[in-house]
Amino acid sequence: MAYLLKMILESANRLNSSDYSSNSSSSSDMNSSDASDSDQIIVSSTGDFDRIPLDVFMQILKLLGPKEAAKLTVICKSWKLIVSDNMLWISYLQNQQDPWDSKFFAETNLRSGYPLRTYPSRMQSFMQIYGQRAQVPGAIIIDGGSGYCKFGWSKYDSPSGRAATFLEFGNIESPMYSRFRHFFATIYSRMQVKSTSQPTVVSIPITQYGNTQEDKTARRKLKEAIYSELFDMNVPSVCAVSQATLALFAARRTSGILVNIGFNQTSVVPILHGKIMHQVGVEVLGVGALKLTGYLREQMHQRNLNFSSLYTVRTLKENLCYVAIDYEEELRKDTEASYEVPVEGWYTLKQERFRTGEILFQPRIAGLSDKGLHQAVALCIENCHDAGLTPDDSWFTTVVLAGGTACLPGVVERLDKELHLLLPPAISNGIRVIPPPYGADSAWYGAKLLSNLSTFPDSWCIKKKDFRPKSRRNFLW
Ligand SMILES: Nc1ncnc2c1ncn2[C@@H]1O[C@H](COP(=O)(O)OP(=O)(O)OP(=O)(O)O)[C@@H](O)[C@H]1O
């Protein structure tokens, strides 16, 4: 094997250093090569290598790695055909750190930007895609949740920082220019990057849900404010996409119902081909992470369980609480369990463990008048059905959860069960509830998919010179 590798490399190097070398830089080859465009050298075989079975040949190429393999395309047409094999480049992409499924989803569904177009009829070869991805500059990703902001560099595995939005930046749900500026400037400074250095991808909060002209104007202004502020900071190109859409992309879907159990509220968002269907209706519930923490705190007070900060309550919620599949039955069980909170010590919870999450489905337990989560999702599904936007119903039968609270054990199963009970079988049979793809960081990961696309930034970002706000600076906030 080592001998074969050596022979291949030698023959490639010989040819690379001869006449062909002028146009053989590995990355440009990868970008420009196409199985049909090498007319200069027409050789019908790979010479002595013809005797090697193709699968062995492929194994050798896999061992050589993408850089060396790319050089081999200049040897002759036969080599080029073999080396351009999609499966070979797929295997190189699979060997990289990000999950292959997500990369494949992104390259086949998100390459075009809006409007989304699904390939692969006009798909480029994976060799070209590999080369283009290698050259993508990457981006700063900022997902400014109303409770917690997640930020980081798109080429990293996960967000490099998280910050409590309400403590550090004020409430960005009422975004004034100065708040935006302070918010973005703080993040760039935390990341120790210049705003001018990279494109920035920002999640747009799920606000202004309605379909009135006022709602549309408010949404447009919010988006324009984000772009304006970042361009004022000389960010070279900017992409702002809804937090809900990004979370759906993270689940490798472009259509479905995205249920974000957020910090202050829960939003049920119908999305078709990456666009929020405001005309169908976004359902909003006043129950979110903060209410769950508050309700657990109340129950702990009632049982005289002392704690010095809300951090303790939150930690217990995240580590002991769950959602029961059958609430009444759970009340009859012994559900006692303990957890040690650093510094504070051991705590034992009983029914609080499942009563806390139950307010998602029965808000009245905590004195709230909202609909239950399952009722809001069922209503959204029925609205999608009635709207008849597509010939079949498949787009809205996938329900994707997002947000930290959606990580509570049992939420997926309970929602699935309740939806099957509420909806007629004709609709409920196809329903599938999907857990949050990356927990509280789902939107951040959706933005990461966009930022590493072979077509990024051109397909998704706007450059400063192309930005034409309708009402620059003339905003209400
Ligand atoms: N495993 C878990 N179980 C239960 N709750 C969790 C878990 N992980 C995180 N959370 C809760 O999720 C909340 C933060 O959620 P998230 O980061 O999705 O909010 P956000 O993005 O700021 O909200 P929004 O979507 O409204 O902007 C916190 O209250 C945290 O306690």
Side-chain angles (χ1 to χ4, degrees):
M1 185 71 89
Y3 174 70
L4 283 171
L5 282 171
K6 191 163 167 268
M7 278 173 64
I8 290 173
L9 279 173
E10 276 171 3
S11 82
N13 286 338
R14 259 199 314 278
L15 284 150
N16 277 332
S17 59
S18 69
D19 294 353
Y20 310 110
S21 61
S22 57
N23 56 2
S24 68
S25 105
S26 61
S27 57
S28 64
D29 275 343
M30 284 191 269
N31 286 337
S32 62
S33 68
D34 182 295
S36 62
D37 72 359
S38 73
D39 304 325
Q40 294 184 4
I41 325 154
I42 302 179
V43 180
S44 60
S45 87
T46 55
D48 286 347
F49 293 107
D50 274 355
R51 280 176 288 158
I52 304 172
L54 194 60
D55 53 338
V56 175
F57 209 105
M58 284 300 171
Q59 285 304 323
I60 296 171
L61 292 175
K62 281 181 192 171
L63 287 174
L64 276 177
K67 249 190 171 163
E68 299 301 339
K71 288 183 197 165
L72 300 177
T73 56
V74 299
I75 294 175
C76 64
K77 195 166 184 178
S78 303
W79 278 82
K80 186 168 187 171
L81 261 174
I82 292 173
V83 173
S84 306
D85 180 71
N86 265 340
M87 291 315 292
L88 176 67
W89 291 90
I90 286 173
S91 77
Y92 292 145
L93 285 163
Q94 284 170 334
N95 282 342
Q96 294 174 330
Q97 55 180 5
D98 297 337
W100 160 247
D101 288 354
S102 298
K103 269 184 281 197
F104 183 76
F105 161 77
E107 293 294 348
T108 49
N109 289 277
L110 308 177
R111 277 169 64 81
S112 60
Y114 284 120
L116 299 184
R117 283 196 300 268
T118 305
Y119 294 82
S121 54
R122 294 188 299 112
M123 182 108 181
Q124 281 176 292
S125 77
F126 278 96
M127 182 171 169
Q128 289 168 308
I129 287 173
Y130 187 101
Q132 288 163 349
R133 286 180 72 92
Q135 292 175 49
V136 162
I140 311 287
I141 300 174
I142 305 174
D143 171 28
S146 53
Y148 296 90
C149 168
K150 302 95 187 167
F151 52 88
W153 172 233
S154 64
K155 304 236 171 178
Y156 287 171
D157 275 354
S158 55
S160 52
R162 292 182 180 79
T165 311
F166 54 100
L167 286 181
E168 305 205 31
F169 310 111
N171 181 3
I172 64 147
E173 279 190 33
S174 55
M176 296 182 326
Y177 267 95
S178 58
R179 283 199 181 146
F180 263 144
R181 173 153 288 229
H182 172 60
F183 174 67
F184 292 130
T186 308
I187 286 169
Y188 289 127
S189 124
R190 289 263 181 97
M191 288 183 65
Q192 301 183 332
V193 291
K194 287 194 178 130
S195 58
T196 51
S197 63
Q198 300 293 341
T200 291
V201 179
V202 190
S203 75
I204 305 174
I206 312 169
T207 51
Q208 310 295 340
Y209 324 94
N211 201 34
T212 64
Q213 200 48 47
E214 263 181 18
D215 292 317
K216 288 179 192 168
T217 307
R219 283 197 293 270
R220 196 198 71 230
K221 284 180 174 176
L222 173 62
K223 202 168 174 175
E224 285 181 0
I226 292 172
Y227 279 100
S228 291
E229 207 46 63
L230 289 168
F231 285 134
D232 282 354
M233 297 171 86
N234 292 317
V235 175
S237 50
V238 177
C239 163
V241 178
S242 161
Q243 194 187 25
T245 306
L246 291 174
L248 189 69
F249 288 167
R252 301 196 294 273
R253 300 283 192 294
T254 56
S255 300
I257 293 184
L258 191 283
V259 178
N260 183 55
I261 310 182
F263 191 66
N264 290 306
Q265 62 191 25
T266 295
S267 320
V268 182
V269 189
I271 299 175
L272 180 58
H273 304 315
K275 286 273 182 201
I276 296 180
M277 294 292 103
H278 291 284
Q279 65 271 40
V280 173
V282 174
E283 298 295 322
V284 181
L285 305 168
V287 182
L290 203 55
K291 289 264 167 42
L292 266 72
T293 308
Y295 185 52
L296 178 57
R297 176 178 58 181
E298 201 181 305
Q299 295 172 87
M300 288 174 69
H301 275 316
Q302 282 165 7
R303 277 195 47 218
N304 294 321
L305 294 173
N306 297 321
F307 49 87
S308 60
S309 80
L310 258 193
Y311 170 78
T312 301
V313 183
R314 200 186 116 188
T315 307
L316 292 172
K317 178 188 74 173
E318 289 174 11
N319 290 284
L320 283 180
C321 290
Y322 63 94
V323 172
I325 189 88
D326 183 330
Y327 180 64
E328 297 301 327
E329 201 182 311
E330 209 69 10
L331 286 169
R332 291 191 283 274
K333 290 186 190 163
D334 174 11
T335 52
E336 187 174 299
S338 303
Y339 186 81
E340 185 178 15
V341 180
V343 184
E344 290 261 55
W346 283 94
Y347 286 83
T348 300
L349 298 184
K350 297 177 183 174
Q351 289 188 347
E352 304 83 15
R353 293 185 63 204
F354 61 91
R355 284 177 69 90
T356 302
E358 187 64 22
I359 71 170
L360 290 168
F361 293 89
Q362 300 192 59
R364 63 181 169 77
I365 295 179
L368 303 164
S369 57
D370 293 81
K371 285 194 238 359
L373 178 63
H374 54 305
Q375 289 155 335
V377 177
L379 183 61
C380 182
I381 290 174
E382 278 169 351
N383 289 342
C384 292
H385 179 263
D386 295 346
L389 297 178
T390 58
D392 72 65
D393 287 354
S394 58
W395 75 271
F396 57 79
T397 48
T398 301
V399 177
V400 176
L401 296 181
T405 306
C407 300
L408 277 176
V411 179
V412 172
E413 295 75 9
R414 176 69 178 278
L415 182 58
D416 189 76
K417 176 189 141 181
E418 299 288 355
L419 289 176
H420 280 86
L421 289 174
L422 271 180
L423 291 163
I427 301 181
S428 70
N429 281 343
I431 283 184
R432 205 171 145 217
V433 182
I434 296 177
Y438 294 90
D441 298 337
S442 298
W444 191 91
Y445 278 94
K448 179 175 155 76
L449 286 190
L450 298 186
S451 312
N452 289 319
L453 270 173
S454 54
T455 51
F456 188 85
D458 296 347
S459 53
W460 283 90
C461 287
I462 297 181
K463 290 196 179 77
K464 185 172 181 171
K465 67 177 169 51
D466 301 323
F467 177 60
R468 309 254 181 280
K470 282 196 178 160
S471 46
R472 195 173 165 79
R473 288 280 175 205
N474 188 21
F475 299 151
L476 295 172
W477 323 300

